[in-house]
Amino acid sequence: MTGAAARDPLRAAVDAVYAAVVTHGEDWPALLAEMASLCREGPARSPGRE
C-alpha cells in the first residue's frame, strides 16, 4: 500500500516518511534539505486549482 492510498492520515504520513528514508538511505542530509525546500514552497497545488 502506498502512503497516498492509506485511509488513515497518520499511516499515510508514516508510509511517506518511510519511503523517503528508503529512497535517500544514508544520504539523510539531502532528505532534510528536500523536506525544508518543500516546506518553504508551501502546499502542492493541483493543476487547474488556484
Side-chain angles (χ1 to χ4, degrees):
M1 175 183 294
T2 63
R7 292 182 184 194
D8 177 17
L10 178 58
R11 184 70 214 183
V14 170
D15 288 346
V17 169
Y18 176 78
V21 170
V22 168
T23 299
H24 288 277
E26 294 292 319
D27 196 14
W28 59 267
L31 172 61
L32 294 179
E34 185 176 335
M35 291 173 66
S37 173
L38 291 172
C39 289
R40 283 190 299 272
E41 291 174 12
R45 297 185 187 248
S46 299
R49 289 186 165 187
E50 304 211 15

